[in-house]
Amino acid sequence: MNHFDLVTIDKFSELTGLTSEAIRQYKKKGQLREKIHWIKAPNGRIFIKVKAAYAWIEGKEA
């Protein structure tokens, strides 16, 4: 995994065109799943796993 595999919600929003709020709602509803599509860093910050989240957008397995 390199440093481009994980991005903040705001950066993922920029990359996809989804709003930050939409991403947070997908996360809250369990559509974007912890440890599969996103992780929480020790400092509490949420990072999106880009490859897995793009697969989810395309309707594929992560």
Side-chain angles (χ1 to χ4, degrees):
M1 192 176 286
N2 65 47
H3 65 277
F4 294 113
D5 292 335
L6 298 172
V7 296
T8 63
I9 289 175
D10 288 340
K11 185 62 175 179
F12 193 68
S13 174
E14 288 177 32
L15 294 171
T16 61
L18 294 169
T19 65
S20 296
E21 185 56 35
I23 296 166
R24 288 182 178 88
Q25 286 300 311
Y26 293 136
K27 194 174 128 319
K28 183 178 179 179
K29 292 176 183 177
Q31 292 173 298
L32 291 176
R33 296 173 35 209
E34 187 172 11
K35 296 182 182 167
I36 295 173
H37 302 108
W38 61 274
I39 60 168
K40 187 181 233 182
N43 66 358
R45 192 124 192 228
I46 301 297
F47 288 92
I48 303 295
K49 293 182 170 186
V50 174
K51 196 172 191 179
Y54 270 120
W56 173 80
I57 289 170
E58 294 175 344
K60 300 177 184 173
E61 285 288 319

